[in-house]
Amino acid sequence: MTQESIAKLIERYMDGDTTGSEEQALREYFNTAGDSIPDEWEPLRAIFAFVTAERKETATSQTAHQPERHKQQAERTLHRVMMYVCPAAAAAMLVFGIVRHRPATAINHVVIDGIEYTDNDLAIQEAEQALKLVSSTDDDPFEALKMMSR
């Protein structure tokens, strides 16, 4: 698949308009793409890795004949996590896109402790620090998810 077709699928996914097979295609793309994806798609890699892991865990538990009530509980937990992860990833992508792709002549501003600063470098630095707070480490790709559930 081309990056253009993946970008369209991502947009449809964020709008909640994808089919099961399209979501499967996105999961396969992010699981096999390696380091060839754009930086702004990195939060989505974590989401799809989480979904893939949850699906494997659900499939394993189903083969062990787990009662229906546990399956429903796992689905509810996944749904609750996705309710927080998707908006957070979308917000991170939006902030990243705005900060990275703004023309150099644009004036960025940041408010720290109620004081507005118009220093472009400071605004970029603060945005990057905010993104680092919700990003995961190489050691544990689910660290950001764990931070949100505390």
Side-chain angles (χ1 to χ4, degrees):
M1 296 179 88
T2 65
Q3 282 195 354
E4 189 173 278
S5 63
I6 293 294
K8 288 178 184 177
L9 276 179
I10 289 171
E11 185 176 344
R12 292 191 61 224
Y13 179 80
M14 291 306 211
D15 291 339
D17 295 333
T18 50
T19 64
S21 61
E22 289 172 328
E23 290 178 20
Q24 177 63 31
L26 284 171
R27 280 193 300 277
E28 288 176 8
Y29 170 77
F30 282 101
N31 288 332
T32 60
D35 294 333
S36 65
I37 66 170
D39 291 341
E40 61 264 16
W41 290 358
E42 281 297 329
L44 290 170
R45 181 195 303 261
I47 291 171
F48 285 105
F50 175 78
V51 170
T52 301
E54 284 295 317
R55 285 181 172 260
K56 285 180 183 175
E57 183 178 303
T58 300
T60 303
S61 63
Q62 285 176 351
T63 58
H65 304 294
Q66 184 181 21
E68 185 66 24
R69 146 183 91 112
H70 292 292
K71 178 183 171 190
Q72 290 173 348
Q73 183 180 12
E75 289 173 354
R76 284 193 303 267
T77 301
L78 175 62
H79 179 70
R80 271 187 259 139
V81 169
M82 293 304 288
M83 282 180 17
Y84 295 106
V85 171
C86 286
M93 287 173 49
L94 180 67
V95 168
F96 182 84
I98 289 172
V99 170
R100 286 285 190 201
H101 300 294
R102 250 188 164 174
T105 58
I107 297 176
N108 294 316
H109 69 99
V110 63
V111 177
I112 304 172
D113 295 327
I115 301 171
E116 183 176 352
Y117 298 91
T118 57
D119 180 12
N120 285 340
D121 294 331
L122 180 62
I124 291 170
Q125 177 185 1
E126 290 296 318
E128 288 174 348
Q129 285 178 352
L131 286 173
K132 285 178 185 175
L133 287 175
V134 297
S135 68
S136 65
T137 65
D138 289 339
D139 297 334
D140 187 358
F142 300 108
E143 185 61 32
L145 298 173
K146 290 176 186 174
M147 289 172 47
M148 287 186 241
S149 63
R150 292 183 187 157

